[in-house]
Amino acid sequence: MQLRVVTPAQIVFEGTARSLVAPAWDGWVGVLPGHAPFLTLMGEGPMTVETESGDRQSFEIGGGVMKVESNTVTVLADHVATG
């Protein structure tokens, strides 16, 4: 699936991912390829992404929204710290 993580200041990540686990406003959400359409407010905490190559990347997310549609995930975050 295609993943794009952006803040008002920059594109933090853009690429292909096998999976992601992220903090939603009411708990954790996991997304795999083929996920049903989904829209949620983001919470605060770590988001873990497994890239197509099998590497894991972590981002500290602070607020925003996440949209899943047509095998594309877009995270519009208030702020993101890479780790």
Side-chain angles (χ1 to χ4, degrees), residues 4-13 75 77 79-82:
R4 188 169 192 208
V5 180
V6 299
T7 68
Q10 66 180 341
I11 296 172
V12 178
F13 179 90
V75 177
H79 54 80
V80 176
T82 57

Side-chain angles (χ1 to χ4, degrees), residues 2-82:
Q2 293 299 311
L3 172 62
R4 188 169 192 208
V5 180
V6 299
T7 68
Q10 66 180 341
I11 296 172
V12 178
F13 179 90
E14 192 165 22
T16 305
R18 290 182 184 174
S19 67
L20 74 88
V21 176
W25 69 277
D26 62 346
W28 294 95
V29 63
V31 180
L32 296 170
H35 196 287
F38 182 73
L39 181 66
T40 189
L41 293 173
M42 299 297 291
E44 294 189 6
M47 179 175 78
T48 304
V49 176
E50 183 179 350
T51 64
E52 191 64 30
S53 65
D55 295 333
R56 291 191 185 269
Q57 293 189 19
S58 293
F59 305 95
E60 194 68 26
I61 299 290
V65 296
M66 178 170 64
K67 177 182 164 187
V68 180
E69 186 175 43
S70 302
N71 226 24
T72 300
V73 180
T74 305
V75 177
L76 305 173
D78 295 337
H79 54 80
V80 176
T82 57

